Amino acid sequence: MAPAGKALSGGMTKALGWSTKQARILTGGGRAEELYTAERGFPFEPRELPHFHLLRGTTHTQFRRWLADGRTCDSLVGAWSRPLFTNYSEQTTDADERVFNVQTRSMFIDLRVPTTRPRFEHAGALGALSGEELCLLARQHVFGGYTLPSEPGLPLVCTRHHAADWNFVGVRRPRPNKWRVELAPAESGPCQEWQELAFAQDKAGRSYYMERWKRVEGDGAGSGPSLVLRSCTLPDSLVLLVGDHFAFMRARQGCPLVPHPRPESSPPPPASLIELVDSAVARGDADEARAWLGLQGGHGRVSSGWQIDLCTHPWLEGTRLLSPEMVFGAVVDGRVVGEVHADLRAKALADGADNMVVIDGEAWELFDRSGLPSAEDVLRVLRGAERH
């Protein structure tokens, strides 16, 4: 969207075009729906679509079921950057965007921020942004959920199911977020790089997009401590830790993902957050744009004192996600350590959370953990007492 009456600079044009280029690459230049069909040997079920469980309200129960059944993706545990994203005719690199893909054995948060995004240093909240700035802020991405691997014994293929998604405003994605994995051989230890290849392929047997992922220093090489926290209250929120890296998401509130019925003569609803924000700003409804931009997602390092170093709301960069005094207590395998009120324990149990952490007086499900066997271990990491 070009601001009315203004000529765009080259930098502004690039910033506004970032998401469009990402979509072209992701769809193989618009060929994805043509290639990803049952007739071509790539069938899929509706339950494989990325927002199937989100729209049904079943992400909590289904994600727990997959974890209990051992459907985990241990070979991809880590914090990953993305040096290359290509459909073989266009590409972007880490010079174009900062990417942190934090993957535990079960859940993930994938954050992508263009390097052309302004810092909005004058702003301390969405309310301080102009319409033009709201349109610019929309051009980034973060999403999180569960990475479901193929059945044991089969070549590694992963399908991601989203619990929260910056760009999803109710129009369903028509194909799964499903891809093949090629691990780069390592001389010793865990892999340091891997490729994500679109599941569907063209006549030549080539996937229509490829992402190259590279391990980021400080993630414990995939074998350090990791955990997943999920809020027991709305808005749905996630905190993931892998080694020294953390990522977080907090879903937007008050924005229905199922569009209201519309007269047949009405134009189709916005298919993406960008379309929605641009449309709202164009008709002067900045409040609607701000509501849909309310989803937060970010990354940081535990050793920095849980300081956020990249965020969809850039005014939060440099602030702390957690501090020791915010972490009250935990329940792990029936053992209670610290301050855990009975009503919070009861609420967590009612929500299906056997293990839990209390942060700033709120109950969080301890959905998954590795290398942190006890409640004391979990609290030590969350309070920043463990340095990596």
Side-chain angles (χ1 to χ4, degrees):
M1 170 184 175
K6 290 187 178 181
L8 295 182
S9 68
M12 180 78 74
T13 300
K14 185 175 181 180
L16 288 171
W18 179 82
S19 293
T20 304
K21 185 174 183 180
Q22 296 283 298
R24 287 198 306 269
I25 296 174
L26 181 66
T27 61
R31 297 185 304 144
E33 291 187 45
E34 166 196 335
L35 295 174
Y36 204 150
T37 65
E39 293 76 14
R40 297 195 66 258
F42 305 106
F44 61 86
E45 300 290 335
R47 57 187 171 82
E48 293 183 85
L49 294 174
H51 305 109
F52 177 82
H53 292 290
L54 175 59
L55 289 171
R56 290 167 62 95
T58 54
T59 60
H60 286 80
T61 54
Q62 186 60 62
F63 291 2
R64 290 181 191 131
R65 185 174 298 121
W66 284 330
L67 182 61
D69 290 344
R71 299 293 299 279
T72 58
C73 204
D74 300 73
S75 60
L76 299 184
V77 173
W80 306 91
S81 65
R82 189 179 68 177
L84 179 64
F85 181 32
T86 182
N87 63 6
Y88 308 103
S89 61
E90 285 188 286
Q91 68 179 40
T92 62
T93 71
D94 45 17
D96 300 296
E97 58 259 351
R98 293 183 66 192
V99 176
F100 287 104
N101 179 7
V102 177
Q103 173 71 60
T104 71
R105 64 178 185 165
S106 54
M107 295 188 74
F108 73 93
I109 292 175
D110 195 333
L111 173 66
R112 307 168 181 191
V113 176
T115 54
T116 52
R117 187 197 68 180
R119 292 190 56 81
F120 304 116
E121 293 175 345
H122 66 286
L126 285 166
L129 298 183
S130 67
E132 175 184 321
E133 290 169 332
L134 293 172
C135 293
L136 284 168
L137 191 69
R139 270 76 176 175
Q140 55 186 337
H141 195 30
V142 64
F143 58 110
Y146 198 102
T147 301
L148 183 69
S150 48
E151 294 283 357
L154 297 174
L156 184 54
V157 174
C158 293
T159 304
R160 277 185 161 176
H161 296 265
H162 303 185
D165 188 332
W166 175 266
N167 204 36
F168 180 57
V169 295
V171 176
R172 295 164 176 82
R173 182 168 161 173
R175 60 195 176 278
N177 182 356
K178 185 174 182 177
W179 27 270
R180 307 168 194 272
V181 176
E182 286 190 0
L183 301 175
E187 292 184 5
S188 62
C191 80
Q192 299 300 308
E193 291 190 15
W194 56 281
Q195 291 187 354
E196 170 185 330
L197 301 163
F199 180 67
Q201 299 171 324
D202 61 20
K203 291 181 179 179
R206 187 169 67 174
S207 297
Y208 57 81
Y209 81 82
M210 183 273 283
E211 293 178 89
R212 181 177 301 142
W213 298 99
K214 183 176 181 180
R215 189 179 296 280
V216 182
E217 177 274 330
D219 72 346
S223 59
S226 66
L227 61 77
V228 176
L229 299 177
R230 190 170 188 183
S231 60
C232 295
T233 57
L234 295 175
D236 195 6
S237 302
L238 296 172
V239 176
L240 274 58
L241 178 144
V242 176
D244 191 36
H245 293 263
F246 71 85
F248 72 95
M249 287 191 72
R250 185 175 296 112
R252 53 178 72 94
Q253 285 185 289
C255 298
L257 288 177
V258 179
H260 297 299
R262 303 162 65 94
E264 290 185 7
S265 58
S266 298
S272 68
L273 178 71
I274 291 168
E275 287 186 20
L276 190 152
V277 169
D278 286 358
S279 174
V281 168
R283 65 175 184 272
D285 193 350
D287 287 342
E288 181 182 15
R290 292 185 180 105
W292 282 95
L293 290 166
L295 189 152
Q296 296 176 4
H299 167 272
R301 302 287 288 257
V302 177
S303 58
S304 71
W306 286 86
Q307 188 173 101
I308 300 166
D309 58 27
L310 186 66
C311 188
T312 55
H313 292 178
W315 45 89
L316 294 179
E317 293 171 7
T319 66
R320 298 174 71 181
L321 182 70
L322 291 179
S323 59
E325 60 272 13
M326 293 172 63
V327 185
F328 292 7
V331 180
V332 176
D333 297 336
R335 174 172 166 75
V336 181
V337 177
E339 184 181 338
V340 181
H341 290 303
D343 58 337
L344 289 178
R345 176 82 186 280
K347 174 174 177 48
L349 288 170
D351 289 341
D354 296 327
N355 295 325
M356 64 172 292
V357 175
V358 180
I359 298 176
D360 211 18
E362 299 288 340
W364 290 69
E365 177 182 8
L366 179 55
F367 175 84
D368 192 14
R369 71 191 195 278
S370 297
L372 300 168
S374 69
E376 290 88 350
D377 294 322
V378 170
L379 292 176
R380 185 173 65 252
V381 167
L382 292 176
R383 289 169 176 163
E386 185 166 299
R387 292 292 182 260
H388 303 269

